[in-house]
Every structure is written in C-alpha cells, then in structure tokens.
Amino acid sequence: KAVVSTQSTGCRVCSATLTLPYIQCAECASFFNVCLCCFTTGSKTGTHQPWHPYKIIHANIPVISNNWSAIEEIKMLSAIERYGLDWENVASMLPKKNED
C-alpha cells in the first residue's frame, strides 16, 4: 500500500499512518483524514461525527462488493436515485460486467 503524503499523514482518530485508500471528512477542517478502520466502525473525535459527508481518497476501491469499485457503486446509486428501482434503466447507466 502507498503511504499518503499530505499535511496530515495520520488518522485523526487513532493516529495510524494513512495508506491509500482513506477517507477525508468534507465537513471538518482541511486534512481531517480518517483510516478505513475508524471510518467503518463509525469512530468520532472532537467535533467530527460519523454522519459527516466524506470523500474517498483514491476512489477506485471496493466499498460494498469486491466485484465493484467505489466509482461504479456511486454510479449505481446515482442511477437508482434517478430511475428508482427500474433496473433496466439503472443497468443502462452502468458499465458492462463479464460473468467471470
């Protein structure tokens, strides 16, 4: 894993050295970075809360499923928001996947 080189190289919750991918809070001060472990457990510290909006730094990673990257999952959620559960239209907005 690549070590992150930013103004704050440690997780602001547990102080672990950040590696890609990691989470950046979009509501807290600049460079409020959180490791995936703290993010997935809903950790909070000071004024940072787990429900704050966030950015995934290095977004081409699996989040929900190992078969989909975060970018693909975001596209799917956007399509569902647009078309509801009309799966034919949702599928038309997504990249084609092989069955392998």
Side-chain angles (χ1 to χ4, degrees):
K1 290 186 174 182
V3 174
V4 176
S5 170
T6 65
Q7 292 177 6
S8 173
T9 58
C11 172
R12 296 288 294 270
V13 177
C14 72
S15 301
T17 299
L18 292 172
T19 57
L20 294 174
Y22 64 93
I23 305 300
Q24 186 172 77
C25 181
E27 188 166 315
C28 293
S30 294
F31 296 106
F32 194 97
N33 300 323
V34 181
C35 69
L36 290 180
C37 183
C38 288
F39 176 75
T40 58
T41 59
S43 297
K44 58 184 178 178
T45 183
T47 59
H48 174 72
Q49 299 296 321
W51 57 81
H52 285 173
Y54 62 90
K55 297 186 275 185
I56 299 172
I57 306 303
H58 184 35
N60 202 17
I61 58 163
V63 176
I64 298 170
S65 167
N66 287 335
N67 299 326
W68 292 76
S69 71
I71 293 169
E72 292 169 325
E73 290 173 5
I74 289 167
K75 286 180 184 178
M76 180 182 67
L77 293 172
S78 295
I80 291 170
E81 184 176 57
R82 182 173 179 180
Y83 295 114
L85 298 179
D86 179 347
W87 294 112
E88 189 172 319
N89 279 324
V90 169
S92 72
M93 302 295 293
L94 301 176
K96 303 297 182 226
K97 294 273 191 183
N98 292 334
E99 290 187 23
D100 333 318

Coordinates of all heavy atoms in Angstrom, one line a residue:
K1 N 0.8 -1.2 0.0 CA 0.0 0.0 0.0 C 0.9 1.2 0.0 O 1.9 1.3 0.7 CB -0.9 0.0 1.2 CG -2.0 -1.0 1.2 CD -2.9 -0.8 2.4 CE -4.0 -1.8 2.3 NZ -5.0 -1.6 3.4
A2 N 0.4 2.3 -0.7 CA 1.2 3.5 -0.7 C 0.9 4.3 0.5 O -0.2 4.4 1.0 CB 0.7 4.3 -2.0
V3 N 1.9 4.9 1.1 CA 1.8 5.8 2.2 C 1.4 7.2 1.7 O 1.9 7.6 0.7 CB 3.1 5.9 3.1 CG1 2.9 6.9 4.2 CG2 3.4 4.5 3.6
V4 N 0.5 7.8 2.4 CA -0.1 9.1 2.0 C 0.9 10.2 2.3 O 1.5 10.2 3.4 CB -1.4 9.3 2.7 CG1 -1.9 10.7 2.3 CG2 -2.4 8.3 2.3
S5 N 1.1 11.1 1.4 CA 1.9 12.3 1.7 C 1.1 13.6 1.6 O 0.9 14.1 0.6 CB 3.0 12.3 0.7 OG 3.7 13.5 0.8
T6 N 0.5 14.0 2.8 CA -0.3 15.2 2.8 C 0.2 15.9 4.1 O 1.1 15.5 4.8 CB -1.8 14.9 3.0 OG1 -2.0 14.2 4.2 CG2 -2.3 14.0 1.9
Q7 N -0.5 17.0 4.4 CA -0.1 17.8 5.6 C -0.4 17.0 6.8 O 0.3 17.2 7.8 CB -0.9 19.1 5.6 CG -0.5 20.1 4.5 CD -1.3 21.3 4.5 OE1 -2.2 21.5 5.4 NE2 -1.2 22.2 3.5
S8 N -1.3 16.1 6.8 CA -1.6 15.3 8.0 C -1.5 13.8 7.5 O -2.4 13.3 6.9 CB -3.0 15.6 8.5 OG -3.4 14.7 9.5
T9 N -0.5 13.1 7.9 CA -0.3 11.7 7.4 C -0.9 10.7 8.4 O -0.8 9.5 8.1 CB 1.2 11.4 7.2 OG1 1.9 11.6 8.4 CG2 1.7 12.3 6.1
G10 N -1.5 11.1 9.5 CA -2.1 10.2 10.4 C -3.6 10.3 10.5 O -4.1 11.3 10.2
C11 N -4.2 9.2 10.8 CA -5.6 9.2 11.1 C -5.9 10.1 12.2 O -5.3 10.0 13.3 CB -6.1 7.7 11.4 SG -7.8 7.6 11.9
R12 N -6.9 11.0 12.1 CA -7.2 11.9 13.2 C -7.9 11.3 14.3 O -8.1 11.9 15.4 CB -8.0 13.1 12.6 CG -7.3 13.9 11.5 CD -6.2 14.8 12.1 NE -6.7 15.8 13.0 CZ -7.1 17.0 12.6 NH1 -7.0 17.4 11.4 NH2 -7.5 17.9 13.5
V13 N -8.3 10.0 14.2 CA -9.0 9.3 15.3 C -8.0 8.5 16.0 O -7.8 8.6 17.2 CB -10.2 8.5 14.8 CG1 -10.8 7.7 15.9 CG2 -11.2 9.4 14.1
C14 N -7.3 7.6 15.3 CA -6.4 6.6 16.0 C -4.9 6.9 15.8 O -4.1 6.2 16.4 CB -6.7 5.2 15.5 SG -6.2 4.8 13.9
S15 N -4.6 7.9 15.0 CA -3.2 8.3 14.7 C -2.4 7.3 13.9 O -1.2 7.4 13.7 CB -2.4 8.5 16.0 OG -3.0 9.6 16.7
A16 N -3.0 6.2 13.3 CA -2.3 5.3 12.5 C -1.9 6.0 11.2 O -2.5 7.0 10.8 CB -3.3 4.2 12.1
T17 N -0.7 5.6 10.6 CA -0.3 6.2 9.4 C -1.3 5.8 8.3 O -1.7 4.7 8.2 CB 1.1 5.6 9.0 OG1 2.0 6.0 10.0 CG2 1.6 6.1 7.7
L18 N -1.7 6.8 7.5 CA -2.7 6.6 6.5 C -2.0 5.9 5.3 O -0.9 6.3 4.9 CB -3.3 7.9 6.1 CG -4.2 8.5 7.1 CD1 -4.6 9.9 6.6 CD2 -5.4 7.7 7.4
T19 N -2.8 5.0 4.7 CA -2.4 4.4 3.4 C -3.6 4.5 2.5 O -4.7 4.6 3.0 CB -2.0 2.9 3.6 OG1 -3.1 2.2 4.2 CG2 -0.7 2.7 4.4
L20 N -3.4 4.5 1.2 CA -4.5 4.6 0.3 C -5.2 3.3 0.2 O -4.6 2.2 0.3 CB -3.9 4.9 -1.1 CG -3.3 6.3 -1.3 CD1 -2.7 6.5 -2.6 CD2 -4.4 7.4 -1.0
P21 N -6.5 3.3 0.2 CA -7.4 4.4 0.3 C -7.7 4.8 1.7 O -7.5 4.1 2.6 CB -8.7 3.9 -0.4 CG -8.6 2.4 0.0 CD -7.2 2.0 0.0
Y22 N -8.1 6.1 1.8 CA -8.6 6.6 3.2 C -9.7 7.6 3.0 O -10.1 7.8 1.8 CB -7.4 7.2 3.9 CG -6.8 8.5 3.3 CD1 -7.3 9.7 3.6 CD2 -5.8 8.4 2.3 CE1 -6.7 10.9 3.0 CE2 -5.3 9.5 1.7 CZ -5.7 10.7 2.1 OH -5.2 11.9 1.5
I23 N -10.3 8.0 4.0 CA -11.5 8.9 4.0 C -11.1 10.3 4.5 O -10.3 10.5 5.4 CB -12.6 8.3 4.9 CG1 -12.9 6.9 4.6 CG2 -13.8 9.2 4.9 CD1 -13.4 6.6 3.2
Q24 N -11.6 11.3 3.8 CA -11.4 12.7 4.2 C -12.8 13.3 4.5 O -13.7 13.3 3.6 CB -10.7 13.5 3.1 CG -10.3 14.9 3.5 CD -9.5 15.5 2.5 OE1 -10.0 16.0 1.5 NE2 -8.2 15.6 2.8
C25 N -13.0 13.8 5.7 CA -14.2 14.4 6.1 C -14.4 15.7 5.3 O -13.5 16.5 5.2 CB -14.2 14.7 7.6 SG -15.8 15.5 8.1
A26 N -15.6 15.9 4.7 CA -15.8 17.1 3.9 C -16.4 18.2 4.7 O -16.6 19.3 4.2 CB -16.8 16.7 2.8
E27 N -16.7 18.0 6.0 CA -17.3 19.0 6.8 C -16.3 19.6 7.8 O -16.3 20.7 8.2 CB -18.5 18.4 7.6 CG -19.2 19.5 8.4 CD -20.6 19.0 8.8 OE1 -21.3 18.3 8.0 OE2 -20.9 19.2 10.0
C28 N -15.4 18.7 8.3 CA -14.4 19.2 9.3 C -13.2 20.0 8.6 O -13.2 20.0 7.4 CB -13.8 18.0 10.1 SG -15.0 17.2 11.1
A29 N -12.3 20.5 9.4 CA -11.2 21.3 8.8 C -10.4 20.5 7.8 O -10.5 19.3 7.7 CB -10.3 21.7 10.0
S30 N -9.7 21.2 7.0 CA -8.9 20.6 5.9 C -8.0 19.5 6.5 O -7.5 19.6 7.6 CB -8.0 21.7 5.3 OG -8.8 22.6 4.6
F31 N -7.8 18.5 5.7 CA -7.0 17.4 6.0 C -7.4 16.6 7.3 O -6.6 16.1 8.0 CB -5.5 17.8 6.1 CG -4.9 18.3 4.8 CD1 -4.7 19.7 4.7 CD2 -4.7 17.4 3.8 CE1 -4.2 20.1 3.5 CE2 -4.2 17.9 2.6 CZ -3.9 19.2 2.4
F32 N -8.8 16.6 7.5 CA -9.3 15.7 8.6 C -9.5 14.4 7.9 O -10.5 14.0 7.4 CB -10.6 16.3 9.1 CG -11.0 15.6 10.4 CD1 -10.7 16.2 11.6 CD2 -11.6 14.3 10.4 CE1 -11.0 15.5 12.8 CE2 -11.9 13.7 11.6 CZ -11.6 14.3 12.8
N33 N -8.4 13.6 8.0 CA -8.3 12.3 7.3 C -8.6 11.2 8.3 O -8.1 11.3 9.5 CB -7.0 12.1 6.7 CG -6.7 13.2 5.6 OD1 -7.7 13.6 4.9 ND2 -5.5 13.7 5.5
V34 N -9.3 10.1 7.9 CA -9.6 9.0 8.8 C -9.3 7.7 8.0 O -9.6 7.6 6.9 CB -11.1 9.1 9.1 CG1 -11.5 7.9 10.0 CG2 -11.5 10.4 9.7
C35 N -8.7 6.8 8.8 CA -8.4 5.5 8.2 C -9.7 4.7 7.9 O -10.7 5.0 8.5 CB -7.4 4.7 9.0 SG -8.1 4.1 10.6
L36 N -9.6 3.7 7.1 CA -10.8 2.9 6.8 C -11.3 2.2 8.0 O -12.5 2.0 8.2 CB -10.5 1.9 5.7 CG -10.3 2.5 4.3 CD1 -10.0 1.4 3.3 CD2 -11.4 3.3 3.8
C37 N -10.4 1.7 8.9 CA -10.8 1.0 10.1 C -11.7 1.9 11.0 O -12.8 1.5 11.4 CB -9.6 0.5 10.9 SG -10.1 -0.4 12.3
C38 N -11.3 3.1 11.2 CA -12.0 4.1 12.0 C -13.3 4.5 11.3 O -14.4 4.6 12.0 CB -11.2 5.3 12.4 SG -9.9 4.9 13.6
F39 N -13.3 4.7 10.0 CA -14.4 5.1 9.2 C -15.5 4.0 9.3 O -16.7 4.2 9.6 CB -14.1 5.3 7.8 CG -15.2 5.6 6.9 CD1 -15.9 6.9 7.0 CD2 -15.7 4.7 6.0 CE1 -16.9 7.1 6.2 CE2 -16.8 5.0 5.2 CZ -17.4 6.2 5.3
T40 N -15.1 2.7 9.1 CA -16.1 1.6 9.1 C -16.7 1.3 10.4 O -17.8 0.7 10.5 CB -15.5 0.3 8.4 OG1 -14.4 -0.1 9.2 CG2 -15.1 0.5 7.0
T41 N -16.0 1.7 11.5 CA -16.6 1.5 12.8 C -17.3 2.7 13.3 O -17.8 2.6 14.5 CB -15.5 1.1 13.8 OG1 -14.5 2.1 13.9 CG2 -14.8 -0.2 13.5
G42 N -17.4 3.7 12.5 CA -18.2 4.9 12.9 C -17.5 5.7 14.0 O -18.2 6.4 14.8
S43 N -16.2 5.7 14.1 CA -15.5 6.4 15.1 C -15.7 7.9 15.0 O -15.9 8.4 13.9 CB -14.0 6.1 15.1 OG -13.8 4.7 15.3
K44 N -15.6 8.6 16.2 CA -15.7 10.0 16.2 C -14.7 10.6 17.2 O -14.3 9.9 18.0 CB -17.1 10.5 16.5 CG -17.7 10.0 17.8 CD -19.1 10.4 18.0 CE -19.6 9.8 19.4 NZ -21.0 10.2 19.6
T45 N -14.4 11.9 17.0 CA -13.5 12.5 17.9 C -13.7 14.0 17.8 O -14.0 14.5 16.7 CB -12.0 12.2 17.5 OG1 -11.2 12.8 18.5 CG2 -11.6 12.7 16.2
G46 N -13.6 14.7 18.9 CA -13.9 16.2 18.9 C -15.2 16.5 18.3 O -16.2 15.9 18.7
T47 N -15.2 17.4 17.3 CA -16.4 17.7 16.6 C -16.7 16.8 15.4 O -17.8 17.0 14.8 CB -16.3 19.2 16.1 OG1 -15.2 19.3 15.3 CG2 -16.2 20.2 17.3
H48 N -15.8 15.9 15.0 CA -16.1 15.0 13.9 C -17.1 14.0 14.3 O -16.9 13.3 15.3 CB -14.8 14.4 13.4 CG -15.0 13.4 12.4 ND1 -15.4 13.7 11.1 CD2 -15.0 12.0 12.4 CE1 -15.6 12.6 10.4 NE2 -15.4 11.6 11.1
Q49 N -18.1 13.8 13.5 CA -19.1 12.8 13.7 C -19.2 11.9 12.5 O -18.9 12.3 11.4 CB -20.5 13.5 13.8 CG -20.6 14.5 15.0 CD -20.4 13.8 16.3 OE1 -20.9 12.7 16.5 NE2 -19.7 14.4 17.2
P50 N -19.6 10.6 12.7 CA -19.6 9.6 11.6 C -20.6 9.9 10.5 O -20.5 9.3 9.4 CB -19.9 8.3 12.3 CG -20.4 8.7 13.7 CD -19.9 10.0 14.0
W51 N -21.5 10.8 10.7 CA -22.5 11.1 9.7 C -22.1 12.3 8.8 O -22.8 12.7 7.9 CB -23.9 11.4 10.3 CG -23.9 12.5 11.3 CD1 -24.0 13.8 11.1 CD2 -23.9 12.3 12.7 NE1 -23.9 14.5 12.3 CE2 -23.9 13.6 13.3 CE3 -23.8 11.2 13.6 CZ2 -23.8 13.8 14.7 CZ3 -23.8 11.5 15.0 CH2 -23.8 12.8 15.5
H52 N -21.0 12.9 9.1 CA -20.5 14.0 8.2 C -20.3 13.5 6.8 O -19.9 12.3 6.6 CB -19.2 14.5 8.7 CG -19.3 15.4 9.9 ND1 -18.2 15.8 10.6 CD2 -20.3 15.9 10.6 CE1 -18.5 16.6 11.7 NE2 -19.9 16.6 11.7
P53 N -20.5 14.4 5.8 CA -20.2 14.0 4.4 C -18.7 13.7 4.3 O -17.9 14.3 5.1 CB -20.7 15.2 3.6 CG -20.8 16.3 4.6 CD -21.0 15.7 5.9
Y54 N -18.4 12.9 3.4 CA -17.0 12.5 3.2 C -16.6 12.3 1.8 O -17.4 12.2 0.9 CB -16.7 11.2 4.0 CG -17.5 10.0 3.5 CD1 -17.0 9.2 2.5 CD2 -18.7 9.8 4.0 CE1 -17.7 8.1 2.0 CE2 -19.5 8.7 3.5 CZ -19.0 7.9 2.5 OH -19.7 6.8 2.1
K55 N -15.3 12.2 1.6 CA -14.7 11.9 0.2 C -13.8 10.7 0.4 O -13.1 10.5 1.4 CB -13.8 13.0 -0.3 CG -14.6 14.3 -0.5 CD -13.7 15.4 -1.2 CE -12.9 16.1 -0.1 NZ -12.1 17.2 -0.7
I56 N -13.9 9.8 -0.6 CA -12.9 8.7 -0.6 C -11.7 9.1 -1.4 O -11.8 9.5 -2.5 CB -13.6 7.4 -1.2 CG1 -14.8 7.0 -0.5 CG2 -12.5 6.3 -1.3 CD1 -15.6 5.9 -1.1
I57 N -10.6 9.1 -0.7 CA -9.3 9.5 -1.4 C -8.8 8.2 -2.0 O -8.4 7.3 -1.3 CB -8.4 10.1 -0.4 CG1 -9.0 11.3 0.3 CG2 -7.1 10.5 -1.1 CD1 -9.6 12.4 -0.6
H58 N -8.7 8.2 -3.3 CA -8.3 7.0 -4.1 C -9.6 6.2 -4.2 O -9.7 5.1 -3.6 CB -7.2 6.3 -3.6 CG -6.7 5.1 -4.5 ND1 -6.7 5.2 -5.8 CD2 -6.2 3.9 -4.1 CE1 -6.3 4.1 -6.3 NE2 -5.9 3.3 -5.3
A59 N -10.5 6.6 -5.1 CA -11.9 6.0 -5.1 C -12.0 4.7 -5.9 O -13.1 4.2 -5.9 CB -12.8 7.1 -5.7
N60 N -11.0 4.2 -6.5 CA -11.2 3.0 -7.3 C -10.9 1.8 -6.5 O -10.1 1.0 -6.8 CB -10.2 3.0 -8.5 CG -10.8 2.1 -9.6 OD1 -11.9 1.7 -9.6 ND2 -9.9 1.8 -10.5
I61 N -11.7 1.7 -5.4 CA -11.6 0.6 -4.4 C -13.0 0.0 -4.2 O -14.0 0.6 -4.4 CB -11.1 1.1 -3.1 CG1 -12.0 2.1 -2.5 CG2 -9.6 1.5 -3.2 CD1 -11.8 2.4 -1.1
P62 N -13.1 -1.3 -3.8 CA -14.4 -1.8 -3.4 C -14.8 -1.3 -2.1 O -14.0 -1.1 -1.2 CB -14.1 -3.3 -3.3 CG -12.7 -3.5 -3.1 CD -12.0 -2.3 -3.7
V63 N -16.1 -1.0 -2.0 CA -16.7 -0.5 -0.8 C -17.7 -1.5 -0.2 O -17.6 -2.0 0.9 CB -17.3 0.9 -0.9 CG1 -18.0 1.4 0.4 CG2 -16.3 1.9 -1.4
I64 N -18.7 -1.8 -1.1 CA -19.8 -2.7 -0.7 C -19.5 -4.1 -1.2 O -19.7 -5.1 -0.4 CB -21.2 -2.2 -1.2 CG1 -21.5 -0.8 -0.6 CG2 -22.3 -3.2 -0.9 CD1 -22.7 -0.1 -1.2
S65 N -19.0 -4.2 -2.4 CA -18.8 -5.5 -3.0 C -17.4 -5.5 -3.6 O -16.9 -4.6 -4.2 CB -19.8 -5.8 -4.1 OG -19.5 -6.8 -4.9
N66 N -16.7 -6.7 -3.5 CA -15.4 -6.8 -4.1 C -15.4 -6.8 -5.6 O -14.4 -6.6 -6.3 CB -14.7 -8.1 -3.6 CG -14.2 -7.9 -2.2 OD1 -14.0 -6.8 -1.7 ND2 -14.1 -9.0 -1.5
N67 N -16.6 -7.0 -6.2 CA -16.7 -7.0 -7.6 C -17.0 -5.6 -8.3 O -17.0 -5.5 -9.5 CB -17.9 -7.9 -8.1 CG -17.6 -9.4 -7.6 OD1 -16.5 -9.8 -7.6 ND2 -18.7 -10.1 -7.2
W68 N -17.2 -4.6 -7.4 CA -17.5 -3.3 -7.9 C -16.5 -2.3 -7.2 O -16.3 -2.4 -6.0 CB -18.9 -2.9 -7.5 CG -19.9 -3.7 -8.3 CD1 -20.3 -5.0 -8.1 CD2 -20.7 -3.2 -9.4 NE1 -21.3 -5.3 -8.9 CE2 -21.6 -4.2 -9.8 CE3 -20.8 -2.0 -10.0 CZ2 -22.5 -4.1 -10.8 CZ3 -21.7 -1.9 -11.1 CH2 -22.5 -2.9 -11.5
S69 N -16.1 -1.3 -8.0 CA -15.2 -0.2 -7.4 C -16.2 0.8 -6.8 O -17.4 0.8 -7.1 CB -14.3 0.4 -8.4 OG -15.1 1.2 -9.3
A70 N -15.6 1.7 -5.9 CA -16.4 2.8 -5.4 C -17.0 3.6 -6.4 O -18.2 4.1 -6.3 CB -15.6 3.6 -4.4
I71 N -16.3 3.9 -7.5 CA -16.7 4.7 -8.6 C -18.0 4.1 -9.2 O -19.0 4.7 -9.5 CB -15.6 5.0 -9.6 CG1 -14.5 5.8 -9.0 CG2 -16.2 5.6 -10.9 CD1 -13.3 5.9 -9.8
E72 N -17.9 2.7 -9.5 CA -19.1 2.0 -10.0 C -20.3 2.1 -9.1 O -21.4 2.2 -9.5 CB -18.7 0.6 -10.4 CG -17.7 0.5 -11.5 CD -17.1 -0.9 -11.7 OE1 -16.9 -1.6 -10.7 OE2 -16.8 -1.2 -12.8
E73 N -20.0 1.9 -7.8 CA -21.1 1.9 -6.8 C -21.8 3.3 -6.8 O -23.0 3.4 -6.6 CB -20.6 1.5 -5.5 CG -20.2 0.0 -5.4 CD -19.6 -0.5 -4.1 OE1 -19.5 0.4 -3.2 OE2 -19.2 -1.6 -4.1
I74 N -21.0 4.3 -6.9 CA -21.5 5.7 -6.9 C -22.4 5.9 -8.1 O -23.5 6.5 -8.0 CB -20.4 6.7 -6.8 CG1 -19.8 6.7 -5.4 CG2 -20.9 8.2 -7.1 CD1 -18.5 7.5 -5.3
K75 N -21.9 5.4 -9.3 CA -22.7 5.5 -10.5 C -24.0 4.7 -10.3 O -25.1 5.2 -10.7 CB -22.0 4.9 -11.7 CG -20.9 5.8 -12.2 CD -20.2 5.2 -13.4 CE -19.0 6.1 -13.8 NZ -18.3 5.5 -14.9
M76 N -24.0 3.5 -9.7 CA -25.2 2.8 -9.5 C -26.2 3.5 -8.6 O -27.4 3.6 -8.8 CB -24.9 1.4 -8.9 CG -26.2 0.6 -8.7 SD -25.9 -1.0 -7.9 CE -25.3 -0.6 -6.3
L77 N -25.7 4.1 -7.5 CA -26.6 4.8 -6.6 C -27.2 6.0 -7.2 O -28.3 6.4 -7.0 CB -25.8 5.2 -5.3 CG -25.4 4.0 -4.4 CD1 -24.4 4.5 -3.3 CD2 -26.6 3.3 -3.8
S78 N -26.4 6.7 -8.1 CA -26.9 7.9 -8.8 C -28.0 7.4 -9.8 O -29.0 8.1 -9.9 CB -25.8 8.6 -9.6 OG -24.9 9.1 -8.7
A79 N -27.8 6.3 -10.4 CA -28.8 5.8 -11.4 C -30.1 5.4 -10.6 O -31.2 5.6 -11.1 CB -28.3 4.6 -12.1
I80 N -29.9 4.8 -9.4 CA -31.1 4.4 -8.6 C -31.8 5.7 -8.2 O -33.1 5.7 -8.2 CB -30.7 3.5 -7.4 CG1 -30.3 2.1 -7.9 CG2 -31.9 3.4 -6.4 CD1 -29.6 1.3 -6.9
E81 N -31.1 6.7 -7.8 CA -31.7 7.9 -7.4 C -32.5 8.5 -8.6 O -33.6 9.1 -8.4 CB -30.6 8.9 -6.9 CG -31.2 10.2 -6.4 CD -30.0 11.1 -5.9 OE1 -29.1 11.4 -6.6 OE2 -30.1 11.5 -4.7
R82 N -32.0 8.4 -9.8 CA -32.6 9.0 -10.9 C -33.8 8.1 -11.4 O -34.9 8.7 -11.8 CB -31.6 9.1 -12.1 CG -32.1 9.7 -13.3 CD -31.0 9.9 -14.3 NE -31.5 10.5 -15.5 CZ -30.8 10.8 -16.6 NH1 -29.5 10.6 -16.5 NH2 -31.3 11.3 -17.6
Y83 N -33.7 6.8 -11.4 CA -34.7 5.9 -12.0 C -35.4 5.1 -11.0 O -36.3 4.3 -11.4 CB -34.0 5.0 -13.1 CG -33.4 5.7 -14.2 CD1 -32.1 5.7 -14.5 CD2 -34.2 6.3 -15.2 CE1 -31.5 6.3 -15.6 CE2 -33.7 7.0 -16.3 CZ -32.3 7.0 -16.5 OH -31.8 7.6 -17.5
G84 N -35.1 5.2 -9.8 CA -35.8 4.3 -8.8 C -35.3 2.9 -9.0 O -34.2 2.7 -9.4
L85 N -36.2 1.9 -8.8 CA -35.8 0.5 -8.9 C -36.2 0.0 -10.3 O -36.4 -1.2 -10.5 CB -36.5 -0.3 -7.8 CG -36.0 0.1 -6.4 CD1 -36.7 -0.8 -5.4 CD2 -34.5 0.0 -6.3
D86 N -36.2 0.9 -11.3 CA -36.3 0.4 -12.7 C -35.0 -0.1 -13.2 O -34.2 0.7 -13.7 CB -36.8 1.6 -13.5 CG -37.0 1.3 -15.0 OD1 -36.6 0.2 -15.4 OD2 -37.6 2.1 -15.7
W87 N -34.8 -1.4 -12.9 CA -33.4 -2.0 -13.2 C -33.0 -1.9 -14.6 O -31.8 -1.9 -14.8 CB -33.4 -3.4 -12.6 CG -33.6 -3.4 -11.1 CD1 -34.6 -3.9 -10.4 CD2 -32.7 -2.8 -10.2 NE1 -34.4 -3.6 -9.1 CE2 -33.2 -3.0 -8.9 CE3 -31.4 -2.2 -10.2 CZ2 -32.6 -2.6 -7.7 CZ3 -30.8 -1.8 -9.1 CH2 -31.4 -2.0 -7.8
E88 N -33.9 -1.9 -15.5 CA -33.4 -1.8 -16.9 C -32.7 -0.5 -17.2 O -31.7 -0.4 -17.8 CB -34.6 -2.0 -17.9 CG -34.2 -2.1 -19.3 CD -35.4 -2.5 -20.2 OE1 -36.2 -3.4 -19.8 OE2 -35.4 -1.9 -21.3
N89 N -33.3 0.6 -16.7 CA -32.7 1.9 -16.9 C -31.5 2.1 -16.0 O -30.5 2.7 -16.4 CB -33.7 3.0 -16.6 CG -34.7 3.3 -17.7 OD1 -34.2 3.3 -18.9 ND2 -35.9 3.6 -17.4
V90 N -31.5 1.5 -14.8 CA -30.4 1.6 -13.9 C -29.2 0.9 -14.6 O -28.1 1.4 -14.7 CB -30.6 1.0 -12.5 CG1 -29.4 0.8 -11.7 CG2 -31.6 1.8 -11.8
A91 N -29.4 -0.3 -15.1 CA -28.4 -1.1 -15.8 C -27.8 -0.4 -17.0 O -26.6 -0.5 -17.3 CB -28.9 -2.5 -16.2
S92 N -28.6 0.4 -17.7 CA -28.2 1.1 -18.9 C -27.1 2.2 -18.5 O -26.4 2.6 -19.4 CB -29.3 1.7 -19.7 OG -29.9 2.8 -19.0
M93 N -27.1 2.6 -17.3 CA -26.2 3.7 -16.8 C -24.9 3.1 -16.3 O -24.0 3.9 -15.9 CB -26.9 4.5 -15.7 CG -28.2 5.2 -16.2 SD -28.0 6.4 -17.4 CE -27.0 7.6 -16.5
L94 N -24.8 1.8 -16.2 CA -23.6 1.2 -15.5 C -22.7 0.5 -16.5 O -23.2 0.1 -17.6 CB -24.1 0.1 -14.5 CG -25.0 0.7 -13.4 CD1 -25.5 -0.5 -12.5 CD2 -24.3 1.7 -12.6
P95 N -21.5 0.4 -16.2 CA -20.5 -0.3 -17.1 C -20.9 -1.8 -17.1 O -21.4 -2.4 -16.2 CB -19.2 -0.2 -16.4 CG -19.5 0.1 -14.9 CD -20.8 0.8 -14.9
K96 N -20.7 -2.4 -18.3 CA -21.0 -3.8 -18.5 C -19.9 -4.6 -17.8 O -18.7 -4.3 -17.8 CB -20.9 -4.1 -20.0 CG -21.9 -3.3 -20.8 CD -23.3 -3.5 -20.4 CE -24.3 -2.7 -21.3 NZ -25.3 -2.0 -20.6
K97 N -20.4 -5.7 -17.1 CA -19.5 -6.6 -16.4 C -19.5 -8.0 -17.1 O -20.6 -8.4 -17.5 CB -20.0 -6.8 -15.0 CG -19.9 -5.5 -14.1 CD -18.6 -5.5 -13.5 CE -18.5 -4.4 -12.5 NZ -17.2 -4.3 -11.9
N98 N -18.4 -8.7 -17.1 CA -18.3 -10.0 -17.5 C -18.8 -10.9 -16.4 O -18.7 -10.6 -15.2 CB -16.9 -10.4 -17.9 CG -16.4 -9.7 -19.2 OD1 -17.3 -9.3 -20.0 ND2 -15.1 -9.5 -19.3
E99 N -19.3 -12.1 -16.7 CA -19.8 -13.0 -15.7 C -18.6 -13.8 -15.1 O -18.8 -14.5 -14.1 CB -20.8 -14.0 -16.3 CG -22.1 -13.3 -16.6 CD -23.2 -14.2 -17.0 OE1 -23.1 -15.4 -16.7 OE2 -24.1 -13.8 -17.7
D100 N -17.4 -13.6 -15.5 CA -16.3 -14.4 -14.9 C -16.0 -13.8 -13.6 O -15.8 -12.9 -13.1 CB -14.9 -14.2 -15.7 CG -15.0 -14.0 -17.2 OD1 -15.9 -14.6 -17.8 OD2 -14.2 -13.2 -17.7

